[in-house]
Structures are given as C-alpha cells and as structure tokens.
C-alpha cells in the first residue's frame, strides 16, 4: 500500500462512513467502508456465533457446531450433545468447509448446448426444461438415483417419484450389503445394530475398520477408547483388542494382536472360536444353539487352522479369552472383508457373539443404523441394465456419482438415456455427462434432517447465506415440479409436526422447533430388541470358506480421507497423509517386503495391475502390514472430472472391480490380478520418515502387567536431562536464567501452558491434523512440493512398525509430534533477529513480521516441527496459491496468514489462549481449567490430548504430567518440553521397533 492509498483509507475510516466517492484516486475502483448502523441479528463484529447442524460428509450423521464470523463459517466442531459423536469430529467433517467454499462449485443452472458447451440458465428456464422433459418421459421410464437420505428429503423424493410414476434407487458405493445380508442369515433381519464398544472387555474385529469408514467411525472410536485406554488406579484394566484380516489397517494398528488371516477365511475363524465355546461350554449355551451345531463342528480349530494360516492352539486361546471376558464383542462386515463370501463371514461372526451371550449386550438391535436402508449394488446394476436397454428416458441423480464408482458399466449406460439431470454442486463425472445441472445448496447452506440411528433425529439448518446466490435446494426444485406450495423448510417443519406430537411435552411447536435447532436435533432412547437365531440359519449359512483364488489377491479398501472419491476435491484431505502409508495426493499399491524382494521392487516402482474387469498403473509402497500373498490399493483418486484438486490424479481403483453384484447383492472388493512391472518409477509424495523407531525413545510402550504395578509418584522411565559432568554448569546457567526471569513482565506469576498426550488412547486417525489446518490457516502446497518435503502441517502423526522379524508379531505404534514448547528451547537463542522468543507463559513465540527466514531455528530444533514458507501461498492467482477465491473465506480472522520467507510452527492455538484470558478478565475471574481447548484436542475422537496450566496443580494436565507413565521425547537433550507423553499400554509382551 502506498502513502496516497493509506491516507485515503485512513480518511474513510476516520469519518465513520465511506464518503470518498467523488474522486477515484489510484487505478483501483473506489471502495466504501460501511459501518453496521443496523447490525444483522446475532452478528457482532469480532465475536463468533455458533449454530448447531449435522455433518453430511458420510452416513454417520455426526452433530456439528458451526463457528460463524461476520456471516461466514470458519470452523466446524463436534456437537457435545450429539449421541453420535459426543462433540468430536473426524478429518472429513473438518474438511466440509472446503466443500462449501470450493472454487469449482457449480454456481448457476446449466444446460448442454447443441455444440456440447455448457450454457447458464435462469432457474425458471431450468425448471421449465425439466418439467417439459418430465412430461415427455412419463410412461417411458423415469429413475431418480440418490445417496442415502434417511430424513425428510428422502421422503420427499419417494413421494415425488411415485407421483410421476418412476422409481427411486438409493446408492452408496460402500453400503455394507454383506453386513445386512449376514444379519439376515443369522437373525432373519437386515437391520444393522448398534455396537457397545465402551462396555466391551474383549474386542475382535474381523476386517471391520470401525475407526476409519465403518458405520460410525467417530462415535465408535470414542467408545473403543473408553474400553481400551489404560486408567491407573484400583481397577487398572483395559479391554483387549484383536484384529483379524490380511491387511493391517489403521484400526488394526491399535490392536494388541494382529491375526493376518488368509483373505476370506475370517468366517472360518469365527466359527472355530464359536465351536470351542460351545464344545467346552465356556458360556451359558442358548437353547437354539443346535441350529448351528453342524456348521460349528465342520469348522473345528484343527480343521480350519491351516486354511486360516494360524495354529489351532491360537484359535482355542482366542475363544477362551473371548468367553472369559464376559464382555466380548466381535464385529465384521468392513469393505476390506467384503469378499464374495462376505455375508457368510458376517453370519459367522454373529454366531460367535450369540453363543458367547453378547447379543443384546454389546450387540444391540433396536438403536439400528440407518445404513440398513442404504440400497444395494444389485439395485444400481439392475438400473444400469435398464439404462443400456433404453428403458429409462429420464434419469435424475442427487448425492451420488455412479459414473466414478462404476466407471465402465454406468458410464456407458448413460449414453443410452435420452435426458440426464444432475443436482450436484460440483461438475463430477456423472454431472459432466448430464444434459442439465441444477446445483444444490451445500449441506451447511440448507435445511434438512436425517435419522442416522433409530431415535436420533438430527437437524440441519443453514448456518450462513449461500456462497453462490444462484444455487437452490433440490427439495425446492421438486416441490416446484410437483406444484406444491411453500419451501422445503415448510415441508421439513410439517414432517416435524409428528415429532412434536410425540415429544412436545406441552410446548408450542415454535418452542419445540427452536429447542431442537439449538441442540442440533431430537435425541430419544430406543429399547433394545431381542433377536433369535434364524430357524434356517444352518441351510443359509452355507460355507464360510472362500472361493479358490486365481493369481494374486488384491484388496480394494476405502481411503479414510477420500472415501469413495467424494473427498478428492478438498485439498486438506488430499494433503492429509494416509494414517498408515503417510502418502498424500496419489494412490499406491501395498506390497509385503518378501514379495517386493522376490519381484525386485523398490518404493515408487510402477506396477501394472490387471484384473478380469480392468487394469491400472500404481506405484509400489513396501510395508510389513500386508500378507505376502496379498496386494492392497485405496479408493478415492482417479477422477476424470470433479474440479482442479481431483481431476486426472492417480488411478481409479474401482476399475479393477467387477460390475456384477455378489450373491448377497453387494460388491466384492477383493479380486484376483495379474502383476507386471512397467519399468517406470516415480517418487512417492510421502511424509514418512524412518519406518522403524530405532530405539530412540520417541514412543514408549508398557505391558499391562507392568503398568498395573506403577504407583503414584513412581517413574517408569528414568530421564536424566544432562550428563553428570555438566551439573555445575547447569546450576550456574539456571541461576542466570532465574535472574533474567525476574525482569519486566516475566517477574509476575504466569501460567505454564502444557499438554499431555496419552498414547494408550491415540489411534493415529489424524483428525487433529486437519483441525490444525482449519484453525490456523495452514497452507496446502500440492503434490510437487510434498515430494520436495515442503509441507506446512504444524502437527504430524509419526507411525513406526514393530516386530516382524525373528518370529515376532508385526504391529505399529503412533504418536502426534508438534512443537514441544520447550522451557529450554534450542530454537530461541540461534535466531539473529529475536523472532523466536520465550513468552512469559511458557510458549515458544514466533514474531512473523520480524522473521527474515534464516531457518537457523529449524536446523536447531531436534523435533523438526518448524516449517518454512518457501513460496507465497496466499498470493491471489499465484503459482502456489492455497486459497483461491472463494476458498479464502474459510480463513480464520484471528490468525495471521503467513508470507513467503517466514518460519511458522504450532502455537498451542495462542489465539484461543488469549481469547479465554480476555473473557476471564472481562468477567473479573481467573482462567479455569478447561476454558482453553486447542483445535487438536477439541477434534480428537479418542480424547487423547489434554491442555492446561502446568502451574495449576489441580488441573488435568498437571495430574497427567505427574502420571507414572509420563515421559518426555528426547529428554536427554535438556530441552524441558511442555508436552508430556503417556506411554502406550498393551496386552502381552512389548515388541520393540
């Protein structure tokens, strides 16, 4: 800004209103600064307003609190009142903001012209065209494909499609058909029960990735942590967790034991465990156990051990432990276990729970998941057949992208449909192949509701005005087409009149409605329903054995961040390292070290994978977390459209899968492939360092028996900060530091902000990483710069493998690594311009406008948690721009956006600290423990991070800092970190890295 421009703005603000309209000084247009004479309701400049709503990034239906500043949403947090997520939120939920402000959203209705180019329309014209096409298509076939809609919008679609004589197909690429079919085989119901992880004492997962994408990952991870975390004291116990599957997923990394069963044999193992329980009467036997006795006898441990790949004695031990716990919980049905015999696997696991007496206890039918109504792959393939045969004249698609997840059959079938309409907010593959696009509002801009679990009626409300004014709620479009009066909000409130009659308790509807909006919905209890074994379970169960494999088995698993590909247009999720592989921005194929040595492969070598249904090229990532006879690839990438962040990136794993449904109506995500080396190589865009910890003490692990013996005041890990010969020098230095600390502002009593991270709770899910991006305006740098290690994430999750050699079991451990806010910080004395300094309350401050970018501080940091701005990521239109308009609307106004040449790092969310201190000062009180929660701690589904004042002996963080499991990373360097890590606790012996 030059002097003339500065004086111009100064004059405008000094006058209180923007009067300078008479002379346009400078080349830019004259701008007016208009004050709030009549401020908008509930909006105070500089003060955040919070609105309760519901996350729609997946089917779990987590409750949200949207933080709004000056009319724009800048942060999403979990709603503590929601029984789904208890105030926690995953990375995908945090990244919903980037869907709202996505620069590639469709801004207006569009129709394809005669030359194939898109033309913008008015809404009257667009609705008129659709109404005309609807009239033409009557009697010729009308179909409406939507994602899972368990609330009012789904009801409206059903009513509307009946009115026009069409059919409604619900399609979710991961609809857990095997889980529903397995429940039907075992109990005669397709309902998906609620699983009580919190009260389980022995958990066995047969391929169910309940911390990643299985049903309700945030809620289940939180409940799992309550059972599996170690709490010292009189009852210092923790549930044991066993993971069964050919691939060590994120969920499996938290397991005490990994059983690397052969693909498709998980059901045989479950029946073998059930056989042991029944044969040895380890639990009270149900009266109808005879219905499955033949199946159990056919799967005795000695008969199936070889096929599963473990010894019969191990199966017997697992069964004994499961039954003896009196709180066993076995879960199955994850996509990674959805083989052609997936339904039989789920039924077998149901039988294991049943004979152990846990159905009705840890497995509760009644509060069922809404995914039971998620449609099936069979229904979509039937529709694709009708499309190809010309039996559908008008196709409408909302909330689904089948052209990406079924790239061959559905994409070809679209060419046989006379007219195609998409309600997508983005030009994804299905929308790009349509004739008319009617852009829907984003879930954060619209009214809606859902019932993600029986009894949980979750409300959505618009938390801000639409980012693009010419978009419209799809419900309003359907109401206009059907000639119905009013808006979709009116329709929604009409449906809630029934809930008001049931739960109003004498209140007026307006009071009932406002109360529901404030709390994010209506949460009612649902009684548990008793179920019995299906009378025909013996005949329906068939065989739990997998079909013989032809060639190498490849497993296609859903990406925790990108899911089925719907997250690929969000740069936060693209740059989020996969919790297992640490790879960003592209896909990979997982190969075991033995297989890689046999095939002479290195990380980054490109393989060609060919199945009977398609082929793709994928770079190799070598990992001990997969069986030698198995390969694995993630979904999420390979889009042909869907915006700048997703298009033409990596490969589409769906291309390898069959277009034909399995016997249970779902899709098999395991396929046989032929593998060929291409001779090509590419560097992996990974943030992984050393795969092994190498005994550096970064992550400490204790066996449960040792942890139970620890007494208050004891220290499991001896830490000596300096060698003996330095004691005198250290004492002299400490005296000098004490003198310096008695000067100026440092002389008064101050808090010492600190953090405790419990590794017995941390799962490595990386929700904290994305929360940090959202709160602190971290730049995403893209694949090229990640390859050059120029990432800007202030917090990283380090993953180290353990065991795997000399017969030791393979496992993994994780830890969050961020600025340790050292009391004796190596970064501070080396800065020549005092940009790095120590605040009076113990933070390692960083003065951005003083930093000249010498990077001495980063060189001197032993934790490597300082990050340098190599480019100007905030430059509009620049080569490395991170926030193209309107993505810049999500920036937090309380946090400076850093410029090129500046060093940055974790600040413990200092803006939240200062905000809480200011509020306490205005209220004439001291800051209380719990007043301040950094973004990472607030998001963490496991509640593994605790923040507070170490000088307050009554605070939670101070108590945890005194915990016998506590230790400091690299304590021997005498950096005096403010972060205390609590050692991970495991059942059994500790396996070193």
């Amino acid at each position: 800004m030059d002097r003339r421009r500065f004086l111009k703005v100064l004059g405008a603000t000094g006058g209180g209103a923007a009067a300078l309209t008479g002379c346009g000084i400078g080349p830019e247009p004259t701008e007016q600064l208009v004050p709030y004479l009549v401020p908008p309701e509930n909006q105070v400049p500089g003060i955040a307003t919070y609105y309760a709503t519901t996350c729609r990034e997946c089917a779990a239906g987590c409750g949200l609190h949207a933080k709004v500043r000056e009319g724009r949403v800048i942060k999403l947090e979990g709603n503590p009142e929601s029984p789904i997520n208890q105030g926690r939120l995953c990375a995908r939920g945090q990244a919903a903001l980037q869907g709202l402000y996505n620069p590639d959203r469709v801004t207006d209705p569009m129709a394809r012209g005669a030359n194939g180019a898109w033309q913008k329309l008015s809404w009257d014209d667009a609705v008129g065209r659709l109404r005309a096409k609807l009239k033409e298509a009557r009697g010729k076939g009308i179909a409406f494909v939507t994602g899972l809609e368990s609330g009012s919008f789904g009801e409206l679609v059903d009513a509307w499609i009946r009115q026009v004589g069409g059919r409604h197909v619900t399609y979710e690429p991961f609809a857990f058909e095997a889980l529903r079919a397995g429940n039907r085989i075992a109990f005669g119901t397709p309902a998906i029960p609620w699983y009580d992880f919190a009260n389980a004492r022995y958990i066995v997962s047969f391929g169910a990735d309940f911390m990643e994408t299985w049903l309700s990952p945030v809620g289940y991870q939180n409940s799992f942590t309550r059972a599996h975390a170690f709490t010292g004291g009189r009852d210092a116990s923790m549930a044991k967790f066993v993971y069964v599957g050919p691939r060590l997923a994120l969920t499996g990394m938290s397991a005490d034991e990994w059983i690397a069963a052969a693909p498709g044999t998980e059901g045989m193992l479950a029946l073998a465990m059930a056989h042991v329980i029944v044969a040895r009467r380890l639990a009270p036997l149900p009266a109808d156990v005879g219905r499955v006795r033949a199946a159990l006898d056919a799967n005795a441990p000695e008969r199936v051990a070889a096929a599963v790949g473990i010894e019969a004695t191990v199966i017997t031990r697992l069964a004994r432990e499961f039954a003896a716990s009196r709180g066993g919980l076995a879960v199955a049905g994850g996509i990674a276990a959805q083989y052609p015999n997936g339904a039989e696997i789920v039924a077998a696991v149901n039988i294991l729970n049943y004979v152990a007496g846990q159905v009705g206890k840890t497995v509760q039918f009644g509060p069922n998941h809404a995914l039971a109504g998620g449609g099936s792959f069979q229904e979509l393939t039937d529709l694709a057949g009708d499309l190809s045969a010309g039996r559908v004249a008008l196709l409408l698609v909302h909330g689904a992208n089948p052209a990406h997840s079924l790239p061959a059959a559905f994409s070809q079938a679209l060419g046989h449909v006379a007219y195609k309409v998409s309600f997508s907010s983005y030009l994804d593959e299905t929308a790009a192949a349509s004739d008319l696009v009617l852009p829907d509002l984003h879930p954060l801009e619209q009214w809606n509701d859902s019932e993600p679990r029986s009894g949980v009626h979750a409300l959505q409300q618009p938390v801000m005005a639409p980012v693009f004014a010419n978009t419209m709620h799809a419900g309003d479009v359907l109401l206009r087409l059907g000639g119905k009066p009013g808006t979709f909000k009116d329709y929604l409130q009409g449906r809630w009149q029934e809930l008001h009659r049931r739960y109003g308790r004498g209140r007026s509807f307006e009071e009932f409605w406002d109360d529901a909006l404030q709390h994010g919905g209506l949460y009612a209890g649902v009684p548990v329903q008793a179920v019995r074994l299906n009378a025909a379970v013996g005949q329906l169960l068939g065989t739990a054995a997998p079909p013989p494999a032809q060639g190498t088995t490849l497993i296609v698993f859903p990406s925790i961040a990108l899911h089925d590909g719907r997250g690929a247009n969000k740069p936060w999720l693209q740059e989020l390292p996969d919790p297992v592989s640490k790879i960003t921005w592209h896909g990979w194929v997982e190969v075991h070290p033995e297989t890689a040595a046999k095939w002479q492969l290195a990380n980054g070598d490109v393989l060609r994978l060919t199945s009977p249904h398609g082929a793709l090229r994928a770079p190799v990532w070598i990992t001990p977390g997969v069986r030698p006879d198995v390969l694995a690839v993630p979904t999420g990438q390979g889009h042909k459209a869907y915006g700048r962040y997703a298009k033409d990136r990596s490969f589409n794993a769906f291309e390898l899968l069959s277009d034909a449904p399995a016997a249970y109506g779902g899709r098999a995500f395991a396929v046989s492939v032929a593998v060929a080396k291409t001779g090509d190589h590419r560097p992996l865009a990974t943030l992984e360092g050393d795969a092994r910890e190498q005994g550096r003490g970064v992550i400490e692990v204790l066996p449960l028996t040792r942890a139970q013996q620890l007494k208050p005041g004891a220290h499991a890990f001896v830490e000596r900060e300096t060698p003996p010969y330095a004691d005198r020098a250290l004492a002299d230095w400490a005296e000098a530091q004490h003198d310096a600390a008695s000067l100026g502002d440092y002389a008064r009593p101050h808090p010492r902000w600190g953090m405790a991270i419990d590794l017995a709770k941390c799962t490595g899910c990386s929700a904290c990483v994305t929360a940090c991006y959202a709160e602190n305006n971290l730049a995403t740098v893209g694949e090229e710069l990640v390859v050059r290690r120029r990432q800007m994430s202030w917090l990283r999750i380090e993953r180290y493998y353990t065991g795997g050699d000399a017969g030791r079991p393979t496992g993994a451990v994780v830890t969050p690594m961020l600025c340790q806010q050292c009391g004796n910080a190596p970064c501070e004395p080396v800065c020549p311009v005092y940009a790095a300094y120590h605040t009076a309350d113990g933070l390692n401050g960083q003065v951005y406008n003083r930093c000249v970018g010498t990077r001495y501080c980063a060189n001197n940091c032993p934790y490597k948690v300082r990050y340098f701005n190599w480019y100007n990521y905030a430059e509009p239109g620049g080569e490395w721009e991170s926030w193209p308009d309107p993505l810049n609307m999500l920036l937090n106004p309380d946090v400076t956006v850093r410029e090129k040449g500046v060093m940055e790092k974790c600040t413990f969310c200092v803006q939240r600290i200062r905000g809480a201190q200011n509020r306490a000062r205005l209220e004439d009180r001291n800051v209380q423990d719990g007043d301040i929660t950094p973004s990472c701690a607030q998001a963490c589904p496991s509640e593994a991070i605790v923040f507070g004042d170490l000088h307050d002996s009554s605070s939670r963080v101070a108590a945890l800092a005194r915990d016998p499991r506590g230790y400091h990373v690299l304590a021997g360097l005498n950096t005096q970190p403010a972060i205390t890590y609590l050692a991970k606790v495991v059942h059994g012996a500790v396996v070193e890295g």
Side-chain angles (χ1 to χ4, degrees), residues 124-137 160 394-396 419-421 423 436 438 477-478 481:
D124 289 340
D125 188 4
V127 173
R129 293 191 184 198
L130 179 54
R131 184 178 287 114
K133 293 295 181 181
L134 192 62
K135 185 176 181 180
E136 293 176 12
W160 182 82
L394 176 62
L395 175 68
L396 304 99
Y419 203 73
K420 304 169 287 293
V421 181
F423 291 91
L436 180 67
L438 306 177
V477 176
L478 296 184
L481 289 171

Side-chain angles (χ1 to χ4, degrees), residues 821-834:
Q821 309 293 345
C822 301
N824 186 20
C827 56
E828 293 169 1
V830 297
C831 180
V833 294
Y834 302 104

Side-chain angles (χ1 to χ4, degrees), residues 268-596:
M268 300 170 67
L269 174 58
L271 290 178
M273 291 174 61
H275 174 272
V276 174
I277 293 174
V278 171
R280 306 192 183 189
R281 295 186 174 272
L282 301 179
L285 299 184
D288 51 357
V289 71
R291 296 174 178 176
V292 295
R293 194 175 292 274
L296 301 185
D297 292 341
N299 288 273
E302 58 275 4
R303 294 186 177 183
V304 303
V308 175
I310 60 176
E311 298 178 359
T313 55
V314 175
I315 299 177
T316 302
R317 172 179 61 81
L318 293 174
R320 286 184 175 276
E321 293 174 350
F322 187 82
S325 71
R326 295 294 184 263
L329 172 60
V331 291
I335 299 304
Q338 197 152 316
Y339 312 106
N341 64 331
E344 288 78 12
I345 293 174
V346 174
V349 173
N350 282 330
I351 292 170
L352 172 59
N353 283 317
Y354 191 75
V355 301
Q358 295 307 310
V359 176
K361 297 178 181 177
T362 57
V363 180
Q364 299 183 8
F365 287 88
N368 302 323
H369 288 279
L371 269 164
S376 70
F377 186 64
Q378 174 81 59
E379 295 174 21
L380 186 75
T381 55
D382 290 346
L383 174 63
D386 290 344
L387 298 182
S388 298
R391 291 191 287 269
V392 176
L394 176 62
L395 175 68
L396 304 99
V397 182
H398 175 277
N401 186 15
H404 172 72
S405 54
L406 197 62
F410 200 87
S411 297
Q412 295 171 5
L414 285 175
H416 299 276
V417 182
Y419 203 73
K420 304 169 287 293
V421 181
S422 171
F423 291 91
S424 176
S425 298
Y426 318 95
L427 208 61
D428 57 27
E429 287 83 350
T430 306
S434 299
D435 302 295
L436 180 67
V437 178
L438 306 177
D440 193 12
L441 296 173
H442 188 272
L444 293 173
E445 301 169 330
Q446 66 178 220
W447 292 100
N448 206 347
D449 68 345
S450 60
E451 191 175 3
R453 199 171 77 203
S454 297
V456 178
H457 304 274
L459 262 178
Q460 282 174 246
Q461 62 174 317
V463 298
M464 65 175 289
V467 177
F468 300 103
N470 207 26
T471 54
M472 183 183 292
H473 196 307
D476 288 328
V477 176
L478 296 184
L479 290 172
R480 289 177 62 176
L481 289 171
K484 305 290 185 181
T487 65
F488 183 76
K489 179 185 177 182
D490 301 325
Y491 182 89
L492 174 66
Q493 288 183 320
R495 189 170 182 266
W496 273 67
Q497 293 283 355
E498 172 60 28
L499 292 175
H500 172 244
R501 284 190 286 272
R502 291 162 55 191
Y503 302 106
R505 300 176 182 174
R507 294 173 294 176
S508 68
F509 178 76
E510 289 72 20
E511 292 175 318
F512 171 77
W513 176 257
D514 290 344
D515 184 70
L517 282 179
Q518 180 180 355
H519 296 287
L522 175 66
Y523 313 122
V526 175
V528 176
Q529 299 172 356
V531 295
R532 308 295 296 178
L533 280 180
N534 188 350
V537 62
Q539 295 76 31
L540 294 174
L541 186 59
T543 175
Q550 305 292 329
T552 302
T553 298
L554 180 133
I555 293 173
V556 176
F557 62 92
S559 163
I560 184 175
L562 309 184
H563 197 53
D564 55 9
R566 68 186 69 180
N569 66 339
K570 302 177 178 69
W572 282 347
L573 298 182
Q574 286 281 11
E575 194 138 307
L576 178 67
D578 179 82
V580 178
S581 70
K582 301 301 170 188
I583 292 175
T584 67
W585 288 100
H586 65 81
W588 64 92
V589 55
E590 297 179 4
V591 182
H592 190 274
E594 293 179 9
T595 307

Side-chain angles (χ1 to χ4, degrees), residues 30 76 212 231 274 307 334-335 473 489 504 508 518 523 581 645 670 674 763 770 823-824 832 861 878 922 954 963:
T30 301
L76 298 176
E212 298 153 77
T231 303
I335 299 304
H473 196 307
K489 179 185 177 182
S508 68
Q518 180 180 355
Y523 313 122
S581 70
Y645 300 111
T763 65
T770 304
N824 186 20
C861 175
L922 290 172
S954 63
D963 192 286

